Amino acid sequence: MSAEREVWREALGVVLATSAYGISFGALAVAAGLDVWQACVLSLLMFTGGSQFAFVGVFAAGGLAALPSAIASAALLGVRNVAYGMRMSPVIGGGAWRRVAAAHFTIDESTAVAISQNEPRLRQVGFWVTGIGIFLGWNATTLIGALVGDVLGDPKTWGLDAAAAAAFLALLWPRLKQRQAIAVGVAAAVVAAAFTPLLLPGLPVLVAAVVAILVGWFNWFGRADAAVPAESAPDVSR
């Protein structure tokens, strides 16, 4: 299998898993009091799962009175996409229109698939296939979930709440080959799990990202990984 076909397969796997979770959002949005068209407009224009679920969750708890809080929570979670945009800017390249178009597709999944590739061309393929694919699939499944929400029941009974997490785990696992990556993954998971009962949905991920920034900035375990080959190399100077 060629490298590009492998990227397509990886991207489409993430597209299917994430799109399936859109049914959950559509069902929950309607259950929270939104109309079908309102749920669909959120997916079309906002298009960032964490922010959408945060908006619906706060709105469901407080109704119209909680609308400012719902908007603020969604906006706060959307800040992470700014960081993704800075990371993906050299990958996307091109002119202003290309960057404007890419901004709407810069999400967790498209960024993850892109940066997991080793070549610039493959990064672009991974970004566009994942971003556009999820946009189409997410909006389609949002409509389906909004229409059949009452029939579907609780999305958790179908395992849809774990689809996105399973896709990210599949992307992360092949990269856990050095102590630096393993340390970041374990520490971030512990921090996210600890803050999940205390913070709004999506915020624990932002807190856990601080762990990755600190470890990456100081490169504690990276220096140890780099020193291993030197220490284990045979002494040929004698």
Side-chain angles (χ1 to χ4, degrees):
M1 181 179 296
S2 67
E4 186 165 332
R5 288 187 62 186
E6 180 65 26
V7 176
W8 271 82
R9 188 178 72 167
E10 180 178 309
L12 291 177
V14 175
V15 168
L16 291 175
T18 306
S19 296
Y21 199 35
I23 298 177
S24 175
F25 170 74
L28 292 174
V30 172
L34 298 180
D35 294 332
V36 172
W37 72 269
Q38 290 173 327
C40 292
V41 166
L42 274 178
S43 286
L44 280 170
L45 301 182
M46 187 178 292
F47 186 50
T48 169
S51 296
Q52 292 180 231
F53 278 104
F55 179 90
V56 169
V58 176
F59 181 78
L64 289 177
L67 189 58
S69 298
I71 295 174
S73 299
L76 179 61
L77 291 179
V79 170
R80 72 188 190 281
N81 287 0
V82 176
Y84 294 157
M86 296 172 62
R87 177 65 178 85
M88 296 308 300
S89 180
V91 173
I92 299 304
W97 286 109
R98 186 182 181 90
R99 292 176 182 270
V100 170
H104 199 54
F105 304 124
T106 303
I107 55 177
D108 302 304
E109 293 83 359
S110 61
T111 302
V113 174
I115 64 176
S116 66
Q117 312 307 320
N118 297 321
E119 301 178 15
R121 179 180 60 85
L122 298 180
R123 292 193 183 107
Q124 289 194 6
V125 172
F127 173 83
W128 289 109
V129 173
T130 307
I132 295 175
I134 291 178
F135 179 77
L136 297 175
W138 181 265
N139 282 279
T141 54
T142 294
L143 176 60
I144 295 172
L147 291 174
V148 302
D150 293 336
V151 178
L152 182 66
D154 188 356
K156 293 182 179 180
T157 61
W158 300 89
L160 296 178
D161 59 320
F168 273 107
L169 182 60
L171 289 173
L172 175 65
W173 191 261
R175 302 174 68 86
L176 299 179
K177 297 179 180 179
Q178 295 183 325
R179 281 178 286 183
Q180 175 96 340
I182 295 173
V184 170
V186 172
V190 170
V191 170
F195 280 96
T196 294
L198 306 176
L199 302 178
L200 291 173
L203 290 181
V205 177
L206 296 178
V207 176
V210 176
V211 175
I213 294 173
L214 289 175
V215 177
W217 180 270
F218 293 103
N219 199 31
W220 292 312
F221 295 93
R223 289 193 294 266
D225 287 327
V228 169
E231 294 173 357
S232 60
D235 186 0
V236 295
S237 61
R238 297 180 182 175

